[in-house]
Amino acid sequence: MATFLYRLGRFSFWKRHFVALFWVALLALAGAGAAGAPAAGNSSFSIPGTEAQKAFDLLDERFPGASADGATARVVFKAPDGQKMTDPGNKAAVQDTVDELSGGTEVAQVTDPYQGGGVSQDGTIAYASVTYKVPGMELEESSREALKAAAEDARDSGLTVEIGGDALQAIPETGSAEIIGIGIAAVVLVITLGSLLAAGLPLLTAIVGVGIGVATITALASTLDLGSTTSILASMIGLAVGIDYALFVVSRYRAELAEGREREEAAGRAVGTAGSAVVFAGLTVVIALVGLSVVNIPMLTKMGIAAAGTVAVAVLIALTLIPAVLGYAGRRVRPAGEKSKLLGGGRAKDKADKPNMGTRWASFVVRRPLAVLLLGIVGLGAAAVPAGSLELGLPDDGSQPTSTTQRRAYDLLSDGFGPGFNGPLVVVVDAQGSDDPQAVFQQAGDEIKALDNVVNVAPAAPNKAGDTATIAVIPDAKPSSVATEDLVHDIRAVGADIKDGTGAEVLVTGATAMNIDVSQKLNDALVPYLVLVVGLAFLLLIVVFRSILVPLKAALGFLLSVLAALGAVVAVYQWGWLSGLMGVEETGPIMSMMPIFMVGVVFGLAMDYEVFLVTRIREAHVHGEKPSQAVVTGFRYSARVVTAAAVIMIAVFSGFIGSSDSMVKMIGFGLAIAVLFDAFVVRMAIVPAVLALLGAKAWWLPKWLDRALPNVDVEGESLAAHGGAAGKDDEDKELVRA
């Protein structure tokens, strides 16, 4: 592999005009496709194999034309102080709003608060429900504007009016913090590479890669039903790995220049060595992201594949566009150790032979490996303690910022009708095989009324055929509470007894029940997903490092860091620690897909540092150094780059904490803190400590396995055959042609 990548790097350097034109054309093509594509909405949410989805599908079949999958809105009215919603003036204003909403071309039904029981007991709050013919992501902007206009007209009459539901769900905004994250990344690159030009290359190429990835996702969003969150997560991950991979190659290029090699030769060797690490690091990320498909949640599968595609583009750009751009930069990218004049270059060095920080740190660790190892494990273990109280759920309007109309509508409904009103349960009774469907409907309603945590049970509403009915159940607790989850399980237990006695099937659905089923499905899939992803990556790392213990250590270290990161997420978003600093306005259960998503993404990113750091250590060991000295050598060359890469990733992920979307906000924090733990505790402390303790045993591999494994040559041993410091131009071109 090293030889192939070496030739690819030299080809890209030599044919830089062709390579640059290819990537610019690809970016333009993707941009043109995105410009002509419909805007991404919220991906349709289906969870195959769950009871809630089965009930939802049954509603579509038995209640045709009811728009079971259509967007919904609740227009909530509050009377001025000292007035009631039943006062004639307020009642007239509400009636005008209902009439105005009913005229929409996409509106299926509007319920009048005064005819449908939509007025609170104290008479101060009322609501009108609007059902649309199409799902929220297909709703035309004119329908949203008409909804907002109707609410504004009602406000003009003196009423407080807010809108809840999914009809107004907006594309998440990441805010200015993302720009700040990129700015921090730029500063770190300048400090690390010692040149403004060299620092700009990783940023430029990463932006090109993310641009191609996000533009492609945008162009295909409508066709493939990709939600707006998909492109945000793809840009988050693609930008972070794109900068890191480019940094790895550029830093190795500068190191090769410092060895006295010609620039084209240095580019080839940088791609042949650091590029090999990039390929395998990228493969682990892709495996982790594509592996999300085993959960069998279409939305999560699409998010994972889209992000994996963006990572694949980042890898290809690091292998081709980076050497091409280095060719354009010429002598303006300086060898390692040299800085540009703007940053103090050209000054005499006081202590040329002074060990760098990576050397000093690694020397300290190999002298006290046991103490460092124990301190790292205890520290991560303490951070992981809150993960023991992890509660899972999915965000609803109650988790929105208080500045949004959806959140204010949620709070008004809670005040007027109780917290459970925001998460009604829909019980579907399928009595098609029963002798007396009406009796079954009555029995189901009566038994549900007798359960704890129930505020109200509406009369059964049968379909035209009379064989299926829906029963609306209002819990007495908020949708994301444990009490509501227990109620769903209790209703399902009642349904099982009814089925045994009558043959009728009782199913629970609705947004709240769907969230509960999603959480359970994700919990059930976590262990199989871990086995699949960690197992495949473990096999891949055995091939890379030709060792059993090093990949095992890498996997165990990852588990420590991800548990510690989950503990931090629970402490902030569930317990409320530092919630003000992180912009958390409402604590509650952790998003259901957070653990499995963090496992996938963090594992891939953790292996980036593992591969880049340990391949340098193995390279020194293969070239004859003792195990402890190889650790120090590896850190001398790679610790600075890995540290910079981690800081960049943390800065980029932290930028998404400013998003308006609670899911993106939580994922940004979780990934940032996970990279912090993994890079600075696991990879920079626990890894060298374990390698120092294991010594030569770290690189042990059974002879039969050594013979069976392919030699991918990540260390670039085969490159010794391609010349030394100075390669002649004619020889270089002949090599590329070969």
Side-chain angles (χ1 to χ4, degrees):
M1 173 178 282
T3 302
F4 168 77
L5 293 177
Y6 167 80
R7 292 178 173 176
L8 178 63
R10 295 193 64 171
F11 173 83
S12 300
F13 187 97
W14 180 38
K15 294 288 189 180
R16 48 187 171 272
H17 300 315
F18 169 77
V19 172
L21 182 62
F22 169 80
W23 284 109
V24 170
L26 192 59
L27 178 61
L29 184 64
N42 294 288
S43 177
S44 57
F45 196 74
S46 63
I47 313 296
T50 61
E51 179 176 317
Q53 186 65 47
K54 183 179 178 181
F56 188 80
D57 296 338
L58 186 65
L59 285 174
D60 272 347
E61 176 188 339
R62 303 286 175 84
F63 292 82
S67 302
D69 62 343
T72 59
R74 276 178 170 174
V75 183
V76 187
F77 307 89
K78 182 181 180 182
D81 291 342
Q83 297 183 26
K84 302 284 187 179
M85 287 305 304
T86 51
D87 294 345
N90 295 334
K91 195 171 182 179
V94 172
Q95 189 61 56
D96 290 342
T97 304
V98 170
D99 294 340
E100 185 176 348
L101 290 171
S102 300
T105 56
E106 292 185 312
V107 174
Q109 183 182 11
V110 181
T111 60
D112 188 322
Y114 303 100
Q115 297 178 6
V119 181
S120 63
Q121 286 187 350
D122 63 4
T124 59
I125 296 173
Y127 73 93
S129 294
V130 185
T131 305
Y132 292 87
K133 300 174 184 177
V134 296
M137 66 171 295
E138 299 175 15
L139 202 62
E140 293 182 0
E141 189 61 31
S142 59
S143 295
R144 292 191 175 94
E145 291 302 323
L147 180 61
K148 295 176 184 177
E152 193 60 42
D153 290 343
R155 290 189 187 104
D156 292 340
S157 68
L159 297 174
T160 298
V161 186
E162 305 295 347
I163 306 171
D166 61 356
L168 286 187
Q169 283 186 353
I171 295 176
E173 297 177 357
T174 54
S176 59
E178 182 184 356
I179 306 301
I180 296 173
I182 296 175
I184 294 172
V187 172
V188 173
L189 286 170
V190 171
I191 294 172
T192 304
L193 298 177
S195 164
L196 291 174
L197 179 64
L201 297 184
L203 279 176
L204 173 65
T205 55
I207 290 171
V208 170
V210 169
I212 292 171
V214 171
T216 302
I217 291 170
T218 304
L220 299 175
S222 179
T223 304
L224 301 181
D225 189 24
L226 303 177
S228 55
T229 308
T230 303
S231 60
I232 292 179
L233 296 178
S235 66
M236 179 194 301
I237 296 168
L239 188 61
V241 300
I243 295 174
D244 280 6
Y245 295 163
L247 173 60
F248 294 161
V249 175
V250 172
S251 62
R252 186 60 184 250
Y253 171 77
R254 297 179 69 237
E256 295 293 337
L257 289 179
E259 294 289 331
R261 305 191 192 281
E262 293 293 332
R263 293 186 178 275
E264 188 171 331
E265 175 71 12
R269 286 179 175 269
V271 176
T273 52
S276 297
V278 166
V279 168
F280 283 100
L283 273 176
T284 58
V285 180
V286 169
I287 287 172
L289 291 170
V290 174
L292 291 170
S293 58
V294 303
V295 183
N296 195 27
I297 294 179
M299 183 184 73
L300 194 59
T301 299
K302 293 170 186 176
M303 287 167 56
I305 292 175
T310 307
V311 171
V313 171
V315 171
L316 293 174
I317 281 181
L319 301 179
T320 58
L321 186 57
I322 281 291
V325 175
L326 288 171
Y328 285 117
R331 297 185 180 279
R332 284 168 290 185
V333 175
R334 299 170 180 269
E338 293 186 18
K339 296 182 179 180
S340 65
K341 292 182 179 180
L342 182 63
L343 297 174
R347 298 175 186 172
K349 296 182 180 180
D350 297 332
K351 297 180 180 179
D353 57 347
K354 181 180 178 181
N356 63 18
M357 181 64 75
T359 302
R360 296 197 298 272
W361 170 251
S363 299
F364 170 80
V365 174
V366 297
R367 289 196 305 269
R368 300 173 179 81
L370 188 59
V372 172
L373 177 63
L374 291 176
L375 184 62
I377 292 174
V378 170
L380 290 178
V385 168
S389 62
L390 176 68
E391 295 177 8
L392 297 177
L394 284 178
D396 53 23
D397 284 348
S399 61
Q400 296 270 5
T402 53
S403 59
T404 63
T405 186
Q406 292 96 328
R407 172 60 186 276
R408 291 196 291 262
Y410 180 97
D411 292 340
L412 285 175
L413 288 172
S414 295
D415 294 341
F417 301 91
F421 195 78
N422 283 293
L425 304 175
V426 180
V427 179
V428 183
V429 184
D430 179 7
Q432 195 172 53
S434 173
D435 296 333
D436 189 354
Q438 286 295 333
V440 174
F441 301 155
Q442 185 64 42
Q443 179 185 353
D446 291 343
E447 293 195 25
I448 293 171
K449 281 181 184 177
L451 295 174
D452 294 333
N453 303 321
V454 173
V455 171
N456 184 53
V457 177
N463 61 350
K464 289 183 179 179
D467 58 6
T468 308
T470 60
I471 301 174
V473 180
I474 305 299
D476 69 352
K478 64 181 182 178
S480 58
S481 67
V482 175
T484 300
E485 182 177 349
D486 291 340
L487 176 60
V488 170
H489 294 314
D490 290 342
I491 294 174
R492 287 173 174 169
V494 167
D497 293 339
I498 292 175
K499 185 174 183 179
D500 291 340
T502 66
E505 192 167 17
V506 178
L507 306 171
V508 185
T509 189
T512 302
M514 185 72 80
N515 290 352
I516 292 169
D517 287 353
V518 171
S519 299
Q520 186 60 50
K521 192 175 183 70
L522 289 165
N523 282 339
D524 294 342
L526 184 57
V527 173
Y529 175 71
L530 267 174
V531 171
L532 173 69
V533 172
V534 177
L536 287 175
F538 181 76
L539 295 176
L540 184 66
L541 292 178
I542 288 177
V543 174
V544 174
F545 297 131
R546 307 195 76 78
S547 164
I548 297 293
L549 295 178
V550 171
L552 180 62
K553 172 263 308 168
L556 293 176
F558 151 74
L559 291 176
L560 269 176
S561 59
V562 80
L563 283 173
L566 277 175
V569 170
V570 170
V572 173
Y573 289 90
Q574 187 176 310
W575 291 1
W577 294 4
L578 302 177
S579 57
L581 181 64
M582 297 299 168
V584 181
E585 297 183 6
E586 184 74 21
T587 59
I590 303 304
M591 184 183 63
S592 299
M593 62 182 68
M594 188 69 184
I596 203 163
F597 191 83
M598 276 188 64
V599 165
V601 177
V602 174
F603 183 78
L605 300 180
M607 294 307 104
D608 283 359
Y609 306 125
E610 179 75 17
V611 170
F612 192 75
L613 184 64
V614 179
T615 48
R616 267 296 201 172
I617 295 173
R618 175 170 168 76
E619 185 177 339
H621 180 66
V622 166
H623 291 158
E625 293 189 9
K626 294 181 180 180
S628 59
Q629 183 57 41
V631 171
V632 176
T633 300
F635 268 69
R636 179 167 71 248
Y637 289 116
S638 58
R640 180 183 178 91
V641 177
V642 169
T643 300
V647 172
I648 289 168
M649 231 179 231
I650 292 168
V652 172
F653 288 148
S654 297
F656 289 85
I657 297 175
S659 172
S660 61
D661 185 275
S662 59
M663 181 173 73
V664 175
K665 182 193 294 283
M666 190 181 295
I667 288 176
F669 172 80
L671 294 183
I673 199 71
V675 170
L676 176 69
F677 288 148
D678 194 88
F680 292 104
V681 181
V682 175
R683 308 304 152 190
M684 301 298 288
I686 293 178
V687 165
V690 171
L691 291 178
L693 288 170
L694 291 175
K697 297 185 184 69
W699 309 108
W700 170 80
L701 188 70
K703 291 183 179 179
W704 64 269
L705 185 56
D706 188 36
R707 291 190 297 269
L709 291 177
N711 184 10
V712 296
D713 189 22
V714 177
E715 296 81 20
E717 293 177 79
S718 60
L719 299 186
H722 293 290
K728 296 179 181 179
D729 289 346
D730 291 341
E731 294 173 349
D732 292 346
K733 294 175 182 178
E734 286 298 321
L735 176 63
V736 173
R737 292 192 186 100

